[in-house]
Amino acid sequence: MRRHNSGFLLACMVTRDFKIRYRNMSLGVFWSLLNPLVLMLVLTFVFTKIFPPAGVENFHVVVLSGLIVFSFFSLAWQSGTVSIYGNAALIKHVPMPRELLPVATVLANGLHFLIQIGLLLGLAIWAGYRVSLLWLLLPVIFGLEVIFVCGLALITSALDVYFRDIRYVVESSTAVLFWLVPIFYSFAMIPPEFRELYQFNPVAAVVLACRAIILESRVPPATLLWKLPLVSLSFLAGGYLLFRRLKRNFADYL
Amino acid sequence: MPRVRLDRVTKIYRRQSRQFLWRFLLQTLGGRRAEPIYALRDVSFELASGQAMAVIGRNGAGKSTLLSLVAGLTAPESGLVEVDGRVLALLELGSGFHPDLTGAENLRVNAALCGLTRRQTEERFEEIVEFAELADFIDEPLRTYSQGMILRLAFSVAVHADADILLLDEMIAVGDVDFQRKSFRRIREMKQQGRILLCVSHVPEILKELCEEAIWLESGRIVLRGPAEQVIDAYVAGAPLYESSP
């Protein structure tokens, strides 16, 4: 029953998700830009006028780099988690590879992420940061984040079928992570004893790497460059294996 | 050659409660199992290329479960389900449809779900639209469609897919009389081309017309099996539509 059209099916599911999100909105896909911009302005106001940080240049670009990496993570993970439950009709009636549903949802969020990356790079150039060859590393770093979230979504979407509480666990986790990812503070402000821990958090690692490349024009630390792929790929592999075990009875529990 | 074989297949559903986590822990720690409901018991049959079988029985007899098993949507508790060939399941038309997308956008997603490749979808696009009689509306959002138009689109996509095994759950009579006639012809053609047909319907005439064999399910068991004509007549006689007045 596994056909050779999985690529086309995946593309269809991704564009379907992408189109549905902003169809019939007057501003359409501009919402993808507006959301992070508004948050960026608010955070910049709070942390430069109310809690002024010690000598951070271009605080808005620093914040935005953290924000878009985090908002992709949080939105993609949350919508990926409910993607099996939300597509119950397909699970019950259409024989298709089930893995495609969470992956397509994450990738559709990835398209919005792409637009926001464009916004970040644009603002960075406007603020005077120079384009360098190092920027070629960015697709790899962001790609690894997408892989990590795919793995996470495979795990939580499968578990959510059996335990519907999972979606709230995910929701709370992302709320907590907003504070534990260096979004409005820099990595340098973290006390040294906690830094190791932060490096194992792929979202923090992505923020760190992306700031090193864009804002500091330097190669991210070597430890990060092997930990990030290791964690991301293990999550994808683990997620896939767990999903394969659990998908057998999806139709009976939806 | 396409083939479907079921060997002593049993399917059990367990009662589910809302606090699944607590029940799950109770079961694994305390060894308490929920009381099972048998959807199918010891069902065996075999179908080869070009064969068509009708499945009849009351609501809840296990007909839809049987089709889900053959489609691979759900797994049996015990027994063997062997399916050689590509399955097309017309269990619920328009499962992947979204009201905010246009007819054409939904058509492509649905074609992909039915197993068509990108090229096949573009090649057959016009034909699918024409068969569905929707040429004037195909770029309109689906929410502006009538129920009949939606079903026509879904049915048209499905019958333009390449499949060896066709599962039909009450999906033979769709749309108005003309469209029903057309789709019926189309299904008969597909059968003549060597596809396997497994049909569930409550319309005896359609089943007799399409299938030469039938099984009658009662509480998950096959109670009668044989030529469609005989089995269906026996079923209808056992559950008469109208009481004959003395």
Side-chain angles (χ1 to χ4, degrees):
Chain A
M1 218 164 19
R2 290 295 92 99
R3 301 112 170 193
H4 37 267
N5 80 331
S6 293
F8 175 49
L9 180 53
L10 182 64
C12 280
M13 298 306 284
V14 171
T15 44
R16 172 178 179 262
D17 256 38
F18 184 78
K19 283 176 182 165
I20 290 169
R21 182 137 143 214
Y22 294 131
R23 179 70 45 108
N24 302 323
M25 311 268 168
S26 326
L27 290 182
V29 95
F30 274 103
W31 281 111
S32 280
L33 300 176
L34 220 56
N35 270 327
L37 270 178
V38 169
L39 258 177
M40 174 190 88
L41 290 175
V42 172
L43 284 172
T44 306
F45 169 74
V46 171
F47 288 100
T48 56
K49 304 290 175 216
I50 299 178
F51 302 105
V56 178
E57 274 178 67
N58 293 315
F59 190 80
H60 66 287
V61 184
V62 176
V63 165
L64 189 67
S65 64
L67 267 180
I68 63 164
V69 167
F70 177 79
S71 81
F72 163 71
F73 163 76
S74 130
L75 289 176
W77 188 23
Q78 291 188 46
S79 51
T81 299
V82 293
S83 63
I84 299 293
Y85 176 79
N87 285 299
L90 288 182
I91 298 289
K92 286 172 104 81
H93 305 299
V94 183
M96 61 171 295
R98 277 84 176 82
E99 293 82 358
L100 284 185
L101 289 172
V103 171
T105 309
V106 171
L107 292 184
N109 279 286
L111 292 179
H112 295 283
F113 188 29
L114 215 58
I115 297 170
Q116 295 172 354
I117 292 170
L119 174 73
L120 172 69
L121 297 183
L123 278 183
I125 293 167
W126 193 32
Y129 295 102
R130 223 169 293 145
V131 182
S132 76
L133 271 179
L134 265 181
W135 285 26
L136 290 176
L137 259 181
L138 288 173
V140 180
I141 303 287
F142 292 136
L144 285 170
E145 188 189 359
V146 174
I147 289 176
F148 169 66
V149 180
C150 280
L152 268 184
L154 281 168
I155 296 171
T156 50
S157 61
L159 289 176
D160 186 67
V161 174
Y162 301 97
F163 312 107
R164 302 279 153 79
D165 315 59
I166 294 292
R167 63 190 61 183
Y168 298 118
V169 174
V170 169
E171 210 179 288
S172 310
S173 308
T174 57
V176 168
L177 273 169
F178 179 80
W179 300 91
L180 295 184
V181 170
I183 295 174
F184 49 85
Y185 50 92
S186 73
F187 194 69
M189 292 162 75
I190 303 164
E193 62 262 39
F194 299 119
R195 281 191 198 164
E196 279 297 301
L197 219 60
Y198 266 77
Q199 285 204 5
F200 272 104
N201 171 359
V203 191
V206 170
V207 174
L208 183 63
C210 148
R211 280 181 185 159
I213 293 167
I214 301 175
L215 307 177
E216 295 157 32
S217 283
R218 61 179 175 85
V219 184
T223 46
L224 186 151
L225 283 181
W226 65 264
K227 276 180 195 161
L228 181 60
L230 184 76
V231 175
S232 301
L233 292 171
S234 332
F235 264 91
L236 185 68
Y240 178 71
L241 290 177
L242 181 78
F243 193 94
R244 246 187 28 179
R245 274 185 63 91
L246 294 180
K247 70 177 178 181
R248 213 173 113 89
N249 294 321
F250 278 175
D252 297 350
Y253 284 90
L254 286 172
Chain B
M1 286 296 255
R3 197 170 68 103
V4 175
R5 193 170 82 93
L6 271 70
D7 188 20
R8 281 166 292 141
V9 169
T10 295
K11 174 74 190 175
I12 291 174
Y13 290 114
R14 293 181 200 284
R15 282 181 216 279
Q16 291 167 28
S17 75
R18 262 173 206 287
Q19 291 101 4
F20 191 76
L21 181 62
W22 310 127
R23 262 178 23 88
F24 176 78
L25 291 176
L26 261 176
Q27 279 169 22
T28 35
L29 300 176
R32 243 183 52 193
R33 295 284 275 170
E35 138 198 23
I37 300 160
Y38 282 84
L40 285 177
R41 271 190 220 231
D42 266 333
V43 170
S44 307
F45 65 82
E46 196 171 343
L47 292 172
S49 179
Q51 279 187 308
M53 192 166 81
V55 184
I56 51 169
R58 286 169 218 277
N59 288 333
K63 306 186 294 294
S64 296
T65 303
L66 182 68
L67 294 198
S68 294
L69 281 164
V70 175
L73 294 166
T74 176
E77 184 80 14
S78 65
L80 206 67
V81 180
E82 274 182 4
V83 177
D84 296 333
R86 303 211 310 188
V87 178
L88 183 67
L90 277 80
L91 306 185
E92 183 120 333
L93 288 176
S95 289
F97 280 178
H98 194 281
D100 284 338
L101 298 181
T102 67
E105 288 167 335
N106 276 305
L107 186 159
R108 292 200 173 87
V109 175
N110 225 242
L113 284 171
C114 288
L116 289 182
T117 62
R118 186 186 300 272
R119 196 204 285 153
Q120 286 170 332
T121 305
E122 294 316 318
E123 278 170 6
R124 297 175 200 183
F125 187 89
E126 293 299 322
E127 213 181 312
I128 294 172
V129 174
E130 197 185 317
F131 189 90
E133 300 161 21
L134 287 171
D136 294 340
F137 308 96
I138 202 68
D139 291 318
E140 300 294 322
L142 206 74
R143 66 188 138 77
T144 64
Y145 283 32
S146 71
Q147 196 59 32
M149 288 159 83
I150 294 175
L151 290 178
R152 253 154 47 203
L153 181 60
F155 186 88
S156 178
V157 173
V159 294
H160 285 85
D162 296 317
D164 308 307
I165 298 148
L166 209 60
L167 309 177
L168 299 160
D169 195 347
E170 294 290 353
M171 286 309 156
I172 307 161
V174 170
D176 54 29
V177 179
D178 285 339
F179 192 79
Q180 283 183 24
R181 210 167 279 146
K182 188 163 75 172
S183 17
F184 190 74
R185 253 202 320 272
R186 179 84 190 188
I187 290 175
R188 212 160 36 193
E189 260 170 46
M190 295 172 91
K191 184 189 157 196
Q192 279 155 7
Q193 289 159 3
R195 272 122 167 160
I196 292 175
L197 245 56
L198 202 53
C199 311
V200 166
S201 173
H202 288 291
V203 187
E205 294 75 32
I206 291 181
L207 290 177
K208 284 186 195 169
E209 195 50 48
L210 218 51
C211 310
E212 47 293 327
E213 223 190 332
I215 52 175
W216 174 0
L217 288 177
E218 198 77 63
S219 316
R221 290 181 200 276
I222 297 182
V223 288
L224 191 62
R225 177 184 181 166
E229 194 78 35
Q230 277 174 30
V231 176
I232 293 166
D233 285 344
Y235 171 70
V236 173
L241 276 178
Y242 311 102
E243 297 292 340
S244 48
S245 45

